[in-house]
mmCIF file of all heavy atoms in Angstrom:
data_model
loop_
_atom_site.group_PDB
_atom_site.id
_atom_site.type_symbol
_atom_site.label_atom_id
_atom_site.label_comp_id
_atom_site.label_asym_id
_atom_site.label_seq_id
_atom_site.Cartn_x
_atom_site.Cartn_y
_atom_site.Cartn_z
ATOM 1 N N LYS A 214 -50.903 -12.406 -2.197
ATOM 2 C CA LYS A 214 -50.807 -13.265 -3.341
ATOM 3 C C LYS A 214 -51.166 -12.568 -4.662
ATOM 4 O O LYS A 214 -52.121 -11.724 -4.707
ATOM 5 C CB LYS A 214 -52.010 -14.468 -3.308
ATOM 6 C CG LYS A 214 -51.769 -15.445 -2.098
ATOM 7 C CD LYS A 214 -52.822 -16.515 -2.059
ATOM 8 C CE LYS A 214 -52.626 -17.450 -0.886
ATOM 9 N NZ LYS A 214 -53.586 -18.494 -0.876
ATOM 10 N N THR A 215 -50.162 -12.775 -5.522
ATOM 11 C CA THR A 215 -50.506 -12.096 -6.790
ATOM 12 C C THR A 215 -50.992 -12.926 -7.921
ATOM 13 O O THR A 215 -50.510 -14.099 -8.082
ATOM 14 C CB THR A 215 -49.040 -11.558 -7.320
ATOM 15 O OG1 THR A 215 -48.215 -12.617 -7.484
ATOM 16 C CG2 THR A 215 -48.400 -10.465 -6.361
ATOM 17 N N GLU A 216 -51.926 -12.415 -8.506
ATOM 18 C CA GLU A 216 -52.700 -13.229 -9.609
ATOM 19 C C GLU A 216 -51.884 -13.064 -10.860
ATOM 20 O O GLU A 216 -51.418 -11.946 -11.193
ATOM 21 C CB GLU A 216 -54.072 -12.802 -9.749
ATOM 22 C CG GLU A 216 -54.911 -13.010 -8.445
ATOM 23 C CD GLU A 216 -56.374 -12.480 -8.695
ATOM 24 O OE1 GLU A 216 -56.654 -12.006 -9.791
ATOM 25 O OE2 GLU A 216 -57.106 -12.701 -7.722
ATOM 26 N N LYS A 217 -51.655 -14.297 -11.545
ATOM 27 C CA LYS A 217 -51.019 -14.199 -12.752
ATOM 28 C C LYS A 217 -51.884 -13.580 -13.837
ATOM 29 O O LYS A 217 -53.122 -13.630 -13.900
ATOM 30 C CB LYS A 217 -50.775 -15.590 -13.265
ATOM 31 C CG LYS A 217 -49.801 -16.285 -12.436
ATOM 32 C CD LYS A 217 -49.557 -17.787 -12.948
ATOM 33 C CE LYS A 217 -48.514 -18.509 -12.193
ATOM 34 N NZ LYS A 217 -48.152 -19.749 -12.663
ATOM 35 N N PRO A 218 -51.243 -12.597 -14.694
ATOM 36 C CA PRO A 218 -52.011 -11.864 -15.643
ATOM 37 C C PRO A 218 -52.571 -12.860 -16.690
ATOM 38 O O PRO A 218 -51.977 -13.885 -17.029
ATOM 39 C CB PRO A 218 -51.107 -10.789 -16.262
ATOM 40 C CG PRO A 218 -49.675 -11.356 -16.044
ATOM 41 C CD PRO A 218 -49.874 -12.177 -14.761
ATOM 42 N N PRO A 219 -53.668 -12.573 -17.204
ATOM 43 C CA PRO A 219 -54.199 -13.568 -18.217
ATOM 44 C C PRO A 219 -53.311 -13.490 -19.407
ATOM 45 O O PRO A 219 -52.673 -12.523 -19.768
ATOM 46 C CB PRO A 219 -55.611 -13.018 -18.489
ATOM 47 C CG PRO A 219 -55.488 -11.492 -18.205
ATOM 48 C CD PRO A 219 -54.613 -11.432 -16.950
ATOM 49 N N PRO A 220 -53.271 -14.603 -20.195
ATOM 50 C CA PRO A 220 -52.367 -14.657 -21.425
ATOM 51 C C PRO A 220 -53.031 -13.694 -22.497
ATOM 52 O O PRO A 220 -54.193 -13.378 -22.498
ATOM 53 C CB PRO A 220 -52.492 -15.993 -21.761
ATOM 54 C CG PRO A 220 -53.766 -16.697 -21.186
ATOM 55 C CD PRO A 220 -53.978 -15.824 -19.880
ATOM 56 N N PRO A 221 -52.039 -13.195 -23.226
ATOM 57 C CA PRO A 221 -52.581 -12.235 -24.340
ATOM 58 C C PRO A 221 -53.410 -12.931 -25.315
ATOM 59 O O PRO A 221 -53.285 -14.201 -25.450
ATOM 60 C CB PRO A 221 -51.265 -11.665 -24.936
ATOM 61 C CG PRO A 221 -50.257 -12.722 -24.584
ATOM 62 C CD PRO A 221 -50.665 -13.368 -23.329
ATOM 63 N N PRO A 222 -54.262 -12.282 -25.787
ATOM 64 C CA PRO A 222 -55.199 -13.105 -26.824
ATOM 65 C C PRO A 222 -54.383 -13.429 -28.102
ATOM 66 O O PRO A 222 -53.470 -12.877 -28.461
ATOM 67 C CB PRO A 222 -56.248 -11.954 -27.209
ATOM 68 C CG PRO A 222 -55.583 -10.681 -26.868
ATOM 69 C CD PRO A 222 -54.631 -11.007 -25.683
ATOM 70 N N GLU A 223 -54.802 -14.475 -28.608
ATOM 71 C CA GLU A 223 -54.110 -15.018 -29.716
ATOM 72 C C GLU A 223 -54.332 -14.066 -31.046
ATOM 73 O O GLU A 223 -55.389 -13.571 -31.156
ATOM 74 C CB GLU A 223 -54.511 -16.324 -30.163
ATOM 75 C CG GLU A 223 -54.246 -17.485 -29.142
ATOM 76 C CD GLU A 223 -54.762 -18.849 -29.599
ATOM 77 O OE1 GLU A 223 -55.206 -18.870 -30.733
ATOM 78 O OE2 GLU A 223 -54.444 -19.736 -28.731
ATOM 79 N N ILE A 224 -53.279 -13.861 -31.695
ATOM 80 C CA ILE A 224 -53.446 -12.870 -32.897
ATOM 81 C C ILE A 224 -53.964 -13.711 -34.067
ATOM 82 O O ILE A 224 -53.509 -14.775 -34.471
ATOM 83 C CB ILE A 224 -51.935 -12.373 -33.223
ATOM 84 C CG1 ILE A 224 -51.454 -11.496 -32.147
ATOM 85 C CG2 ILE A 224 -52.077 -11.445 -34.464
ATOM 86 C CD1 ILE A 224 -49.987 -11.009 -32.306
ATOM 87 N N GLN A 225 -55.128 -13.125 -34.505
ATOM 88 C CA GLN A 225 -55.800 -13.826 -35.507
ATOM 89 C C GLN A 225 -55.280 -13.307 -36.836
ATOM 90 O O GLN A 225 -55.156 -12.027 -36.996
ATOM 91 C CB GLN A 225 -57.192 -13.636 -35.380
ATOM 92 C CG GLN A 225 -57.922 -14.146 -34.214
ATOM 93 C CD GLN A 225 -57.802 -15.687 -34.176
ATOM 94 O OE1 GLN A 225 -57.785 -16.364 -35.279
ATOM 95 N NE2 GLN A 225 -57.850 -16.269 -32.915
ATOM 96 N N PRO A 226 -54.752 -14.041 -37.709
ATOM 97 C CA PRO A 226 -54.296 -13.473 -39.038
ATOM 98 C C PRO A 226 -55.348 -12.869 -39.787
ATOM 99 O O PRO A 226 -56.547 -13.361 -39.864
ATOM 100 C CB PRO A 226 -53.618 -14.732 -39.816
ATOM 101 C CG PRO A 226 -54.451 -15.775 -39.147
ATOM 102 C CD PRO A 226 -54.661 -15.502 -37.649
ATOM 103 N N ARG A 227 -54.989 -11.651 -40.338
ATOM 104 C CA ARG A 227 -56.105 -10.951 -41.095
ATOM 105 C C ARG A 227 -56.270 -11.673 -42.421
ATOM 106 O O ARG A 227 -55.243 -12.100 -43.156
ATOM 107 C CB ARG A 227 -55.715 -9.506 -41.404
ATOM 108 C CG ARG A 227 -56.615 -8.758 -42.142
ATOM 109 C CD ARG A 227 -56.181 -7.253 -42.392
ATOM 110 N NE ARG A 227 -56.028 -6.636 -41.095
ATOM 111 C CZ ARG A 227 -55.573 -5.418 -40.929
ATOM 112 N NH1 ARG A 227 -55.331 -4.753 -42.018
ATOM 113 N NH2 ARG A 227 -55.707 -4.818 -39.634
ATOM 114 N N PRO A 228 -57.566 -11.933 -42.834
ATOM 115 C CA PRO A 228 -57.651 -12.696 -44.178
ATOM 116 C C PRO A 228 -57.240 -11.872 -45.371
ATOM 117 O O PRO A 228 -57.345 -10.594 -45.325
ATOM 118 C CB PRO A 228 -59.173 -12.894 -44.135
ATOM 119 C CG PRO A 228 -59.724 -11.816 -43.296
ATOM 120 C CD PRO A 228 -58.748 -11.569 -42.162
ATOM 121 N N PRO A 229 -56.625 -12.363 -46.348
ATOM 122 C CA PRO A 229 -56.331 -11.678 -47.509
ATOM 123 C C PRO A 229 -57.395 -10.882 -48.204
ATOM 124 O O PRO A 229 -58.548 -11.436 -48.233
ATOM 125 C CB PRO A 229 -55.550 -12.557 -48.407
ATOM 126 C CG PRO A 229 -56.240 -13.862 -48.022
ATOM 127 C CD PRO A 229 -56.497 -13.831 -46.559
ATOM 128 N N VAL A 230 -57.027 -9.699 -48.612
ATOM 129 C CA VAL A 230 -58.119 -8.887 -49.233
ATOM 130 C C VAL A 230 -57.848 -9.043 -50.705
ATOM 131 O O VAL A 230 -56.724 -8.673 -51.282
ATOM 132 C CB VAL A 230 -58.020 -7.479 -48.718
ATOM 133 C CG1 VAL A 230 -59.061 -6.650 -49.495
ATOM 134 C CG2 VAL A 230 -58.227 -7.363 -47.205
ATOM 135 N N ALA A 231 -58.733 -9.343 -51.474
ATOM 136 C CA ALA A 231 -58.662 -9.505 -52.897
ATOM 137 C C ALA A 231 -58.732 -8.141 -53.556
ATOM 138 O O ALA A 231 -59.599 -7.179 -53.147
ATOM 139 C CB ALA A 231 -59.724 -10.341 -53.516
ATOM 140 N N PRO A 232 -57.722 -7.780 -54.503
ATOM 141 C CA PRO A 232 -57.860 -6.491 -55.138
ATOM 142 C C PRO A 232 -59.045 -6.426 -56.003
ATOM 143 O O PRO A 232 -59.519 -7.400 -56.502
ATOM 144 C CB PRO A 232 -56.469 -6.477 -55.964
ATOM 145 C CG PRO A 232 -56.181 -7.846 -56.158
ATOM 146 C CD PRO A 232 -56.604 -8.683 -54.905
ATOM 147 N N PRO A 233 -59.355 -5.208 -56.087
ATOM 148 C CA PRO A 233 -60.605 -4.933 -57.092
ATOM 149 C C PRO A 233 -60.262 -5.518 -58.448
ATOM 150 O O PRO A 233 -59.003 -5.398 -58.917
ATOM 151 C CB PRO A 233 -60.969 -3.541 -57.062
ATOM 152 C CG PRO A 233 -59.732 -2.881 -56.428
ATOM 153 C CD PRO A 233 -58.951 -4.003 -55.612
ATOM 154 N N PRO A 234 -61.272 -5.951 -59.286
ATOM 155 C CA PRO A 234 -60.778 -6.576 -60.557
ATOM 156 C C PRO A 234 -60.438 -5.466 -61.594
ATOM 157 O O PRO A 234 -59.781 -5.811 -62.495
ATOM 158 C CB PRO A 234 -62.039 -7.227 -60.991
ATOM 159 C CG PRO A 234 -63.189 -6.630 -60.192
ATOM 160 C CD PRO A 234 -62.485 -6.098 -58.871
ATOM 161 N N ASP A 235 -60.861 -4.299 -61.361
ATOM 162 C CA ASP A 235 -60.637 -3.291 -62.418
ATOM 163 C C ASP A 235 -59.178 -2.612 -62.096
ATOM 164 O O ASP A 235 -58.843 -1.636 -62.974
ATOM 165 C CB ASP A 235 -61.683 -2.120 -62.407
ATOM 166 C CG ASP A 235 -61.913 -1.655 -60.960
ATOM 167 O OD1 ASP A 235 -61.372 -2.100 -60.011
ATOM 168 O OD2 ASP A 235 -62.615 -0.571 -60.854
ATOM 169 N N VAL A 236 -58.410 -2.944 -61.084
ATOM 170 C CA VAL A 236 -57.162 -2.254 -60.819
ATOM 171 C C VAL A 236 -56.025 -3.252 -61.276
ATOM 172 O O VAL A 236 -56.033 -4.389 -60.813
ATOM 173 C CB VAL A 236 -56.983 -1.851 -59.271
ATOM 174 C CG1 VAL A 236 -55.569 -1.348 -59.011
ATOM 175 C CG2 VAL A 236 -58.053 -0.935 -58.923
ATOM 176 N N PRO A 237 -55.268 -2.779 -62.308
ATOM 177 C CA PRO A 237 -54.196 -3.725 -62.633
ATOM 178 C C PRO A 237 -53.071 -3.851 -61.770
ATOM 179 O O PRO A 237 -52.819 -2.888 -60.939
ATOM 180 C CB PRO A 237 -53.734 -3.067 -64.013
ATOM 181 C CG PRO A 237 -53.940 -1.560 -63.799
ATOM 182 C CD PRO A 237 -55.250 -1.670 -62.995
ATOM 183 N N PRO A 238 -52.419 -5.039 -61.611
ATOM 184 C CA PRO A 238 -51.267 -5.080 -60.707
ATOM 185 C C PRO A 238 -50.130 -4.164 -60.971
ATOM 186 O O PRO A 238 -49.911 -3.959 -62.153
ATOM 187 C CB PRO A 238 -50.941 -6.665 -60.735
ATOM 188 C CG PRO A 238 -51.376 -6.954 -62.104
ATOM 189 C CD PRO A 238 -52.625 -6.106 -62.343
ATOM 190 N N PRO A 239 -49.286 -3.848 -59.946
ATOM 191 C CA PRO A 239 -48.089 -2.972 -60.301
ATOM 192 C C PRO A 239 -47.101 -3.840 -61.133
ATOM 193 O O PRO A 239 -47.039 -5.076 -61.077
ATOM 194 C CB PRO A 239 -47.569 -2.749 -59.000
ATOM 195 C CG PRO A 239 -48.035 -3.750 -58.082
ATOM 196 C CD PRO A 239 -49.457 -4.197 -58.562
#
Side-chain angles (χ1 to χ4, degrees):
K214 296 181 179 180
T215 57
E216 297 180 358
K217 295 183 178 180
E223 296 182 0
I224 299 176
Q225 299 295 333
R227 181 178 297 180
V230 178
D235 55 347
V236 177

